[in-house]
Amino acid sequence: MDPENSRRDFLKKSIFLLGGLMAVGVAVPGGTYFLSPLWRKGEEGWLELGEISKILPGEPVKVDYAQRRRDGWATIEEKSSAWVVTDDGKKFTVFDPHCTHLGCPYHWDTAKKKFLCPCHNATFGMDGQVISGPPPRPLDQFTTKVVGGKLLIKPRSGGA
Ligand code: FES
């Protein structure tokens, strides 16, 4: 074989090899980044509402929190709130902030010691039971746990 052709052949193969390595070097990290949401498990974790020491017994406390939800490649942050009730500072009940009639936000009336929904004049007790008005069921509750002095709730699918 002609040494000139052999050198040219070697250079061609080297350039193809180098080009192939560069293509793999770009494609693997890029493909991993773009495809990772497809095999990543849904992050159905617990949401932290805060220190339990700041929730005083006997009076419902409204707590605001942000929930991050992954939708394909986008991460969406949704702000929400919950009503937290405790009798002893150890066991906590956390209510969804929407009335169980048509979903209006309700509030705690300190003087009347009741949750009031202004939309259709419903009232709920501090235990979430319906006292008066059209709601078909008690206030919805989140599953809760306390870890390291912090109150956590399990978000329901579809946001809270
Ligand atoms: S939405 Fe609350 S009473 Fe109707």
Side-chain angles (χ1 to χ4, degrees):
M1 183 181 265
D2 181 6
E4 187 64 30
N5 279 344
S6 174
R7 195 170 71 203
R8 185 173 295 144
D9 204 37
F10 171 75
L11 286 173
K12 260 198 225 171
K13 286 179 181 170
S14 297
I15 289 170
F16 277 123
L17 181 66
L18 192 62
L21 288 174
M22 288 171 63
V24 169
V26 170
V28 169
T32 302
Y33 173 77
F34 285 109
L35 295 177
S36 62
L38 298 178
W39 59 70
R40 193 177 296 150
K41 280 179 71 178
E43 296 171 13
E44 291 279 318
W46 292 78
L47 294 172
E48 187 182 310
L49 294 191
E51 301 280 338
I52 59 170
S53 60
K54 294 182 179 165
I55 301 166
L56 300 177
E59 193 81 9
V61 177
K62 189 176 185 187
V63 178
D64 296 319
Y65 64 92
Q67 178 177 0
R68 287 203 180 106
R69 187 169 54 84
R70 185 173 289 279
D71 186 7
W73 284 268
T75 300
I76 300 164
E77 186 170 292
E78 298 168 334
K79 295 192 185 303
S80 191
S81 61
W83 284 95
V84 183
V85 177
T86 182
D87 289 332
D88 56 8
K90 293 174 187 159
K91 288 181 66 181
F92 296 86
T93 304
V94 181
F95 295 113
D96 183 287
H98 302 101
C99 177
T100 52
H101 180 222
L102 295 177
C104 285
Y106 58 85
H107 64 273
W108 176 251
D109 186 310
T110 305
K112 294 180 180 168
K113 296 271 181 206
K114 294 175 187 168
F115 288 110
L116 303 179
C117 180
C119 289
H120 307 96
N121 295 321
T123 58
F124 300 87
M126 200 159 74
D127 58 358
Q129 295 297 315
V130 179
I131 296 173
S132 65
R137 64 180 191 278
L139 295 173
D140 293 328
Q141 296 183 23
F142 291 100
T143 302
T144 65
K145 68 178 178 181
V146 176
V147 177
K150 293 183 176 168
L151 179 61
L152 306 174
I153 60 170
K154 185 84 170 167
R156 290 189 290 265
S157 57

